[in-house]
Amino acid sequence: MPIEKVIVVEDDVIVRKNLEQQLRQRRYDVTSVSTLAEAQDSLCRDNFDLAFLDVRLPDGEGTDLLKSLQLRPQKLLTVITTGFGSVESAVDCMRNGAFDYLIKPFSAQQIEIVLKKAEDFTQLVKVNQFLSQEDEDAGYELLGQSPVMENLRQLIRKVARTQATVLIQGESGTGKELVARALYKESPRAQAPFIKINCAAVPENLIESEFFGHEKGAFTGALAKREGRFELAHGGTILLDEISEICSTVQAKLLRVLQEREFERVGGNRTLKVDVRVIATTNRQLEQSVERKEFRQDLFFRLNVVPIHVPPLRERREDIPFLAEQFLKRFGRKHGVRVQGISDPCWRALTQHHWPGNVRELQNVIERAVILCSEGGVLEAGHLGLTSPAPAAAGSLPAGAPAADDSAFPSLSELEKRHIFAALERCQDNRTHAARLLDISVRTLRNKLNEYHGGGAAKGTLGEGETDPQPAGVAG
Ligand SMILES: Nc1ncnc2c1ncn2[C@@H]1O[C@H](COP(=O)(O)OP(=O)(O)OP(=O)(O)O)[C@@H](O)[C@H]1O
Ligand SMILES: [Mg+2]
């Protein structure tokens, strides 16, 4: 699958035709030539993924071409084929960058083996390139000792074993991505690629190409063919993060992939088949998006085969002390600060806060506090900088205790709204800065504002370099 275009450089007609035929049967796009000059010409005009290169050619040595290929920025996997093999020449070719070496006559089976090796290698290289740009969170575990988290871990173990599509729902910062990674790590596909795409972060006009790839010249700027994330994830798992954010065209195409496991690249007409396990996350109520006709119902059903809900931190307060201690250790190490412990008022502040940003907020608060704390000191409430209008009353109220005046008691969504407006005010209505302050994506912020404004123009401006793929005012 990762290999498409193959060039065969071979002057022996019979060998060339046989090779060509076998490659075409496997649906590769084959160019075949019989001289070095023709080979050089084709290599200048086209990008190939694999070459079969004969050594003795009418106008020179294939090994010279092999050496010059190594100087190109984009390496071409080259299999040397020769009728005059020796251990020395094989070693020489491998030293000069050949991928493999075959002595003529070779069997169809030998070619199959080489192709399989080349496919696996190319896929690995591509996945590695992708992973090297990935985030630093990848190694972390899903922490928490509350019964809720225990149940969640049990569910993850059970579901991980299957191939079922999973939809993870929960507020921002609750750990949905960690749940997805845990599903992957405990699955039979743990050794295969894990490819993530954040649907909210990719501009709407590029998302289709990110999902499915594109052919050279598919659109302005598509200078070369590019594999999409589904192709990279072949044999492994794909995480579709913030799935609620994809437009209806891509929703339709995604439905087809989920049903048929096939698609075409943008600008291409070849149908590609993939074997991927799909995990999606969303911090919006997808059922409501379906009701509002913003999200296809059939796609929702296809994604929601196994639903997993990650509860907000305020619904598992027992986890706060454990998480706080773990983060204290992690950030103490990271910043080289030795913190002796956490003072009682600081513990109270931590356990009473209502954590609208969930574990992510707790993690950030502890990191900042560690930085502000002096070496060998104790974390104090002042280090936390918790200024949200979170209800001291709500957090500290024992369950079931009668409140003095229930009507004056603000709802969670009301508090969230007030907090968002406070952040915007502090950032002079700059939505990018406010989103950063609140630790949510610009898109999440925009959606919330759209909700408050009932679909009207949202408050706030975008910061430099931020794209806003949907016009403000689209009901969120
Ligand atoms: N249970 C947990 N144990 C340890 N770290 C956690 C836990 N939950 C969340 N985190 C940390 O909090 C941060 C946010 O988690 P994650 O990205 O998984 O949240 P999310 O639910 O995907 O949020 P969003 O909807 O905003 O994308 C990450 O740095 C993650 O490592
Ligand atoms: Mg996430």
Side-chain angles (χ1 to χ4, degrees):
M1 170 71 94
I3 290 180
E4 274 163 49
K5 281 183 176 259
V6 184
I7 181 167
V8 176
V9 189
E10 171 64 66
D11 60 338
D12 182 321
V13 187
I14 296 174
V15 177
R16 191 173 67 234
K17 291 284 171 213
N18 278 340
L19 199 47
E20 243 184 85
Q21 193 188 9
Q22 192 179 349
L23 291 168
R24 293 223 162 93
Q25 267 168 5
R26 293 203 41 160
R27 309 191 44 182
Y28 290 110
D29 178 349
V30 186
T31 300
S32 69
V33 294
S34 55
T35 64
L36 270 188
E38 287 171 311
Q40 262 147 353
D41 190 42
S42 299
L43 288 164
C44 285
R45 275 189 284 113
D46 231 332
N47 289 324
F48 292 92
D49 306 303
L50 178 65
F52 285 88
L53 178 58
D54 187 18
V55 176
R56 290 204 186 159
L57 290 158
D59 53 347
E61 298 276 310
T63 42
D64 290 336
L65 179 60
L66 174 69
K67 283 182 209 155
S68 69
L69 284 175
Q70 302 313 306
L71 305 174
R72 290 156 61 118
Q74 208 151 16
K75 296 268 180 290
L76 170 63
L77 288 191
T78 309
V79 179
I80 296 291
T81 57
T82 178
F84 309 92
S86 68
V87 174
E88 292 75 33
S89 70
V91 170
D92 221 37
C93 286
M94 299 310 266
R95 204 176 274 145
N96 284 319
F99 177 71
D100 213 336
Y101 185 91
L102 287 175
I103 297 169
K104 288 185 262 187
F106 39 73
S107 65
Q109 203 184 9
Q110 274 175 293
I111 296 295
E112 286 297 313
I113 293 169
V114 169
L115 288 172
K116 170 83 173 71
K117 238 166 74 175
E119 290 277 3
D120 288 350
F121 180 82
T122 310
Q123 164 112 355
L124 262 182
V125 168
K126 290 192 168 139
V127 169
N128 261 341
Q129 281 166 351
F130 173 79
L131 290 182
S132 61
Q133 306 152 6
E134 275 289 87
D135 51 325
E136 53 179 27
D137 250 6
Y140 291 131
E141 261 185 83
L142 191 65
L143 304 171
Q145 297 173 324
S146 60
V148 179
M149 288 305 281
E150 276 305 329
N151 288 342
L152 182 60
R153 269 194 290 266
Q154 263 180 28
L155 179 63
I156 289 171
R157 271 196 293 275
K158 213 182 277 171
V159 176
R161 290 197 294 262
T162 72
Q163 303 294 335
T165 302
V166 182
L167 178 64
I168 308 169
Q169 304 210 47
E171 286 179 17
S172 184
T174 45
K176 296 184 295 297
E177 189 172 334
L178 284 191
V179 171
R181 285 186 191 277
L183 278 168
Y184 159 70
K185 283 188 213 156
E186 296 189 29
S187 77
R189 292 172 178 243
Q191 301 305 319
F194 176 79
I195 301 292
K196 168 186 147 183
I197 175 163
N198 185 334
C199 306
V202 181
E204 202 166 303
N205 56 337
L206 292 182
I207 194 123
E208 192 179 336
S209 148
E210 283 295 327
F211 269 34
F212 308 119
H214 61 247
E215 295 294 345
K216 183 175 173 179
F219 47 82
T220 324
L223 300 178
K225 158 199 110 173
R226 184 162 173 244
E227 292 82 9
R229 305 283 166 103
F230 272 95
E231 263 177 89
L232 288 176
H234 182 55
T237 307
I238 193 165
L239 169 59
L240 309 174
D241 213 8
E242 304 206 34
I243 190 71
S244 57
E245 304 303 314
I246 56 170
C247 65
S248 54
T249 324
V250 180
Q251 284 181 27
K253 297 197 170 175
L254 182 58
L255 181 67
R256 178 166 164 231
V257 184
L258 290 176
Q259 281 172 343
E260 323 283 343
R261 293 293 193 264
E262 63 178 38
F263 60 90
E264 284 90 33
R265 293 202 191 112
V266 177
N269 46 24
R270 211 157 62 93
T271 301
L272 305 174
K273 282 217 162 269
V274 279
D275 162 27
V276 278
R277 202 251 175 108
V278 178
I279 303 177
T281 76
T282 174
N283 55 33
R284 298 175 74 185
Q285 293 283 336
L286 218 46
E287 293 89 338
Q288 288 175 12
S289 303
V290 170
E291 273 166 29
R292 285 198 296 264
K293 307 252 182 290
E294 290 163 3
F295 201 85
R296 291 177 69 120
Q297 189 177 44
D298 43 8
L299 179 57
F300 171 69
F301 288 144
R302 279 277 166 187
L303 289 169
N304 201 34
V305 179
V306 179
I308 293 186
H309 172 69
V310 189
L313 189 55
R314 62 183 169 278
E315 286 176 17
R316 45 181 162 114
R317 287 185 177 274
E318 315 91 286
D319 280 334
I320 296 173
F322 179 71
L323 286 172
E325 273 174 348
Q326 296 302 312
F327 293 147
L328 191 64
K329 280 189 206 149
R330 185 188 297 171
F331 294 117
R333 270 198 305 273
K334 177 176 167 190
H335 298 291
V337 180
R338 217 165 21 94
V339 180
Q340 298 287 8
I342 300 180
S343 76
D344 286 348
C346 187
W347 271 128
R348 267 198 299 283
L350 283 171
T351 45
Q352 286 176 7
H353 186 60
H354 103 129
W355 301 109
N358 294 296
V359 185
R360 182 185 286 117
E361 186 189 4
L362 174 62
Q363 188 176 274
N364 292 348
V365 161
I366 299 283
E367 178 163 21
R368 186 175 51 211
V370 166
I371 293 168
L372 295 178
C373 186
S374 44
E375 168 66 20
V378 169
L379 279 201
E380 297 293 348
H383 293 138
L384 301 177
L386 290 174
T387 53
S388 89
S396 55
L397 210 59
D405 176 7
D406 281 353
S407 65
F409 198 82
S411 68
L412 276 182
S413 58
E414 176 56 30
L415 282 171
E416 184 182 79
K417 183 172 165 183
R418 279 193 224 162
H419 192 55
I420 285 177
F421 281 108
L424 276 167
E425 202 169 306
R426 188 175 170 139
C427 302
Q428 279 104 45
D429 280 349
N430 182 311
R431 276 197 260 163
T432 310
H433 292 174
R436 210 172 292 145
L437 188 67
L438 293 164
D439 232 323
I440 56 177
S441 69
V442 179
R443 196 188 284 247
T444 305
L445 175 60
R446 192 198 57 221
N447 288 333
K448 298 249 176 229
L449 291 173
N450 284 333
E451 272 168 31
Y452 305 149
H453 290 261
K459 188 178 165 72
T461 56
L462 284 175
E464 210 181 320
E466 284 291 344
T467 48
D468 189 359
Q470 275 178 34
V474 175

